[in-house]
């Protein structure tokens, strides 16, 4: 009877189930412990250099084992928490990278500033050719000295009258003022009127040219209408009076446009030109970038003191801060 109880199959099955459950629980605990352990694999030495530079590994737990083919296997443990030294080093590298980025931006903006400045000078010279007005003794100030900075002379002042290559608005106005409805009937003044029409067409072409680059849509539309009116003037001698009237009206309209372009506001002229607007934007960008560089420099010098004695590893070399 005792032997039958000892060999009870139900009891043996229960014991087996308990053992299986315990085994499963133990396996789950091992898996959980494995998953909670932070693991990382280093494939190249420069990756390890970054970990050491940022003080993220425990030096006393770091190992390196020589293997075949002149290879070395590294092993170690991460720190549980970031150190103050590691934070300072990361901030140092972050500001150093920002400094390099700002230097590249500065180089790009310096090149853009120089190019924009040349375009403004070219546009200003063309404007002076169109207007025909004499340059003041102090120069034609497109950008005043107020835009200068310690590192950049941003002012643009035209001091020399550009060489004349076509009749200016002042020349045409002076020529047209000698004409009236009576004297245009003779051949000499009729030819003069015809020359004025041709000169106006050339002047309008220059006003609408990309070199001048007027960006104001209202002015561009008015110039298109004036150009069309001059282009469609009648050629019949009997319409000379109508032609003269249109020419005089066009001259007055152009005087208003030229005066509007040359008006000084906020220490600059020719604000309606695209090149001037772009140059102003670039100057503002340079000023803002200069401030960012100064801020970066102040922060960099401060954090540099905290890591002044640090040794860095880069490309298998030891470097000081």
């Amino acid at each position: 009877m005792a032997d039958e109880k000892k060999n009870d199959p139900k009891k043996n099955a229960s014991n087996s189930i308990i053992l299986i459950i315990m085994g499963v629980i133990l396996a789950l605990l091992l898996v959980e412990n494995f998953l909670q352990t932070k693991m990382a694999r280093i494939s190249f030495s420069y990756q390890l250099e970054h970990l050491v530079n940022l003080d993220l590994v425990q030096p006393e737990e770091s190992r390196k084992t020589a293997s075949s083919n002149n290879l070395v296997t590294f092993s170690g443990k991460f720190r549980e928490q970031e150190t103050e030294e590691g934070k300072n080093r990361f901030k140092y590298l972050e500001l150093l990278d920002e400094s390099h980025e700002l230097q590249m931006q500065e180089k790009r903006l310096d090149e853009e500033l120089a190019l924009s400045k040349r375009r403004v000078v070219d546009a200003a010279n063309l404007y002076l050719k169109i207007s025909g007005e004499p340059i003041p003794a102090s120069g034609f100030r497109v950008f005043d000295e107020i835009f200068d900075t310690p590192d950049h002379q941003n002012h643009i002042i035209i001091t020399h009258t550009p060489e004349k290559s076509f009749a200016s608005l002042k020349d045409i106005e002076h020529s047209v003022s000698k004409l009236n409805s009576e004297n245009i009937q003779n051949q000499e003044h009729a030819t003069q009127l015809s020359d004025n029409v041709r000169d106006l067409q050339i002047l309008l072409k220059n006003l609408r040219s990309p070199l001048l680059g007027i960006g104001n849509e209202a002015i561009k539309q008015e110039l298109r209408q004036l150009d069309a009116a001059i282009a469609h003037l009648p050629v019949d001698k009997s319409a000379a009076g109508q032609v003269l009237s249109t020419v005089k009206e066009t001259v007055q309209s152009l005087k208003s446009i030229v005066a509007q372009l040359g008006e000084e506001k906020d220490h600059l002229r020719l604000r309606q030109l695209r090149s001037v607007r772009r140059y102003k934007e670039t100057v503002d960008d340079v000023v803002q970038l200069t401030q960012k560089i100064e801020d970066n420099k102040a922060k960099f010098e401060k954090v540099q003191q905290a890591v002044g004695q640090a040794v860095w590893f880069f490309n298998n070399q030891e470097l000081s801060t």
Side-chain angles (χ1 to χ4, degrees), residues 162-194:
E163 184 178 352
K164 183 180 293 188
S165 56
F166 53 86
S168 68
L169 180 60
K170 191 175 184 66
D171 294 334
I172 297 174
E173 182 184 17
H174 179 70
S175 177
V176 171
S177 65
K178 299 178 181 179
L179 302 177
N180 55 54
S181 57
E182 296 178 359
N183 62 20
I184 57 173
Q185 300 302 323
N186 63 59
Q187 184 62 37
E188 179 183 354
H189 289 88
T191 301
Q192 183 179 343
L193 178 60
S194 177

Side-chain angles (χ1 to χ4, degrees), residues 95-111:
L95 290 171
L96 182 62
D97 181 65
E98 181 181 318
S99 175
H100 291 160
E101 290 289 337
L102 292 174
Q103 288 174 16
M104 288 190 290
Q105 290 182 37
E106 184 180 32
K107 181 180 179 181
R108 176 183 60 79
L109 279 179
D110 283 347
E111 294 173 352

Side-chain angles (χ1 to χ4, degrees), residues 11 15 33 82 99 112 115 125 142-143 152-153 193 212-213 221 240 257-258 262 278 284 289 302 321:
K11 186 175 182 180
N15 291 336
N33 183 63
E82 292 178 297
S99 175
E112 186 175 334
L115 177 61
N125 280 323
V142 185
F143 275 77
H152 298 86
Q153 291 187 351
L193 178 60
L212 187 64
Q221 177 64 25
I257 291 173
V258 168
R278 183 56 189 157
D284 292 341
L289 181 63
K302 182 178 180 180
T321 297

Side-chain angles (χ1 to χ4, degrees), residues 63-68 71-75:
R63 304 285 186 275
K64 60 180 181 179
T65 305
S67 59
S68 60
L71 297 178
V72 177
T73 300
F74 297 94
S75 63

